[in-house]
Amino acid sequence: MPMLTRAEIQRFPKAELHCHLDGSIRPHTLREIARGQGEMVHFNLMELTQKMVVSDDAKDLADYLRPFDFVLQYLQTEVALERAAYDVMEQAYQDGVKYIEIRFAPTLSTKKGLTIAQTINAVVKGIARAEATYDIYGNLLVCGMRTDQEAEVAKVFAESKDVNEKLVGVDLAGPEQVGFVDMYKAAFPMIVDGQKVRLTLHAGECGCADNVLAAIQAGSERIGHGIAAMGNETIEKAMLEKGICIEGCPTSNVQTHALPNHAAYPFQRWLKQGQALCINTNNRTASDTTLTEEYFQMAHHNDMTKEQLRQCNLNAINHSFANESIKTEVADLITNFERE
């Protein structure tokens, strides 16, 4: 059977669950935003792109996260956040994505006086404007930062509650250390109430396998990255038994040196075990990738078939935090597209 081409993957209707707003803005859009603020007047796109894309010599996750500080200084207004969200939605549509969950950390955009609610509503406004323009659905996940104290994270979650119906889930992001779940466990009930707003956690992005098990025990329905659980039969079994979906991000796992290369990604292992796995970009700009490219790497290095492409995207939409009508519509598209 011939390997799937980029064109075939791009045409395929896809769903994405793990995409960070601040890591996915296109350089020309950030330049527009900055110039609107009287900044970056003399930057050319090549210089700007170098500041926004992860360096080839990044040593670890902390190194990988460095470009975000540069971007975030320009995401401190409602106009900027709305424009950024519209841009990411537009990219996803062009990438053949039919449903996407965009995540961001509100506290990182409050440096010039915006409230948590204002940041959320601005991002939602950008998502909704793109939905009115393109054939794509979007929802929002709010991230607490693992660099903040538990009380600060709980405050963010509390202030996020009921702000907008497009806010469908919460997460914790940032540098990962062993035992972080217990440090923040008391913050989760602040927002997760009757499954209206649901929990997905970054866990096992670096070599912290125990964090994956702790996240599951804390009620996380999905695991962001989870690559540290690879080969750990106890944790893999727990994910399988609980019906946990892994939000896989292969390219960023290679860039943070959690994996040596794309061929080392446990794509076939997890799917053949029956594990719910979907593939994601994590950060389109910072990782210089698209969802089409992520799946192409799985086809090229991991023998992904068209039916596995279909299964991964069904996993994504079925484990998404979308409402049932969106889930049904997108799942039908994925199920029936070019069925052989």
Side-chain angles (χ1 to χ4, degrees):
M1 184 180 295
M3 189 182 80
L4 286 166
T5 66
R6 286 186 177 89
E8 289 172 319
I9 296 169
Q10 193 280 331
R11 285 199 309 272
F12 196 91
K14 297 179 287 297
E16 180 168 18
L17 304 184
H18 197 115
C19 179
H20 290 269
L21 178 71
D22 47 356
S24 299
I25 307 162
R26 286 175 289 198
H28 70 82
T29 300
L30 187 68
R31 187 171 66 172
E32 274 179 32
I33 289 169
R35 286 180 172 177
Q37 299 169 8
E39 302 284 346
M40 218 186 286
V41 177
H42 302 297
F43 265 62
N44 65 46
L45 278 178
M46 185 176 294
E47 292 171 326
L48 181 54
T49 301
Q50 288 173 344
K51 288 182 175 293
M52 296 175 68
V53 175
V54 173
S55 168
D56 289 339
D57 60 2
K59 297 179 181 63
D60 52 23
L61 178 58
D63 246 10
Y64 176 89
L65 294 172
R66 293 191 196 287
F68 294 82
D69 290 336
F70 174 78
V71 172
L72 282 162
Q73 64 186 307
Y74 303 107
L75 299 185
Q76 302 298 324
T77 70
E78 290 169 288
V79 170
L81 288 166
E82 179 190 343
R83 181 71 184 88
Y86 183 90
D87 178 77
V88 175
M89 288 285 289
E90 185 175 58
Q91 289 179 68
Y93 165 75
Q94 293 167 350
D95 197 11
V97 175
K98 297 298 181 183
Y99 175 81
I100 186 170
E101 290 177 5
I102 298 172
R103 61 187 73 194
F104 90 120
T107 55
L108 299 182
S109 289
T110 57
K111 309 303 182 190
K112 293 186 177 178
L114 291 183
T115 65
I116 299 297
Q118 284 174 322
T119 68
I120 291 169
N121 283 325
V123 174
V124 166
K125 190 174 179 182
I127 291 173
R129 186 158 63 87
E131 285 181 325
T133 307
Y134 300 113
D135 181 19
I136 184 173
Y137 294 110
N139 278 320
L140 181 64
L141 304 176
V142 159
C143 295
M145 293 304 298
R146 292 184 293 213
T147 49
D148 292 336
Q149 297 297 314
E150 181 189 65
E152 296 172 81
V153 172
K155 184 172 183 286
V156 170
F157 288 170
E159 290 183 16
S160 300
K161 198 178 182 79
D162 299 323
V163 166
N164 194 291
E165 63 181 10
K166 278 191 170 296
L167 171 54
V168 294
V170 297
D171 180 20
L172 291 174
E176 183 176 2
Q177 64 186 85
V178 175
F180 81 86
V181 177
D182 285 338
M183 293 165 57
Y184 295 97
K185 198 182 295 185
F188 303 147
M190 297 297 296
I191 190 164
V192 181
D193 181 16
Q195 299 299 296
K196 181 181 177 184
V197 177
R198 297 157 72 180
L199 183 63
T200 176
L201 289 175
H202 280 75
E205 184 175 3
C206 56
C208 310
D210 288 346
N211 287 347
V212 176
L213 192 57
I216 296 168
Q217 292 168 344
S220 187
E221 298 178 58
R222 304 189 321 229
I223 295 294
H225 297 276
I227 196 64
M230 175 181 65
N232 185 315
E233 294 183 7
T234 300
I235 298 176
E236 289 179 333
K237 183 180 179 184
M239 289 193 291
L240 196 58
E241 289 177 347
K242 293 280 190 179
I244 302 297
C245 182
I246 299 174
E247 304 162 354
C249 307
T251 294
S252 90
N253 293 157
V254 173
Q255 291 170 325
T256 62
H257 300 285
L259 291 174
N261 49 51
H262 284 86
Y265 194 82
F267 184 82
Q268 294 294 345
R269 175 186 175 88
W270 280 344
L271 286 184
K272 287 175 180 177
Q273 288 176 350
Q275 174 63 53
L277 170 68
C278 63
I279 299 299
N280 306 269
T281 60
N282 194 28
N283 297 288
R284 289 169 174 267
T285 298
S287 285
D288 191 20
T289 192
T290 64
L291 193 54
T292 294
E293 186 63 24
E294 292 293 324
Y295 276 114
F296 177 75
Q297 293 301 322
M298 293 299 96
H300 183 64
H301 294 289
N302 304 79
D303 299 321
M304 181 188 75
T305 66
K306 187 172 182 179
E307 286 311 304
Q308 288 177 326
L309 172 65
R310 195 184 312 276
Q311 185 59 57
C312 284
N313 283 285
L314 283 172
N315 289 340
I317 194 61
N318 289 333
H319 286 85
S320 75
F321 298 155
N323 65 41
E324 290 304 317
S325 64
I326 291 176
K327 281 188 176 185
T328 299
E329 180 182 337
V330 176
D332 284 349
L333 273 175
I334 294 167
T335 299
N336 298 315
F337 186 79
E338 294 182 353
R339 177 67 78 181
E340 294 172 354

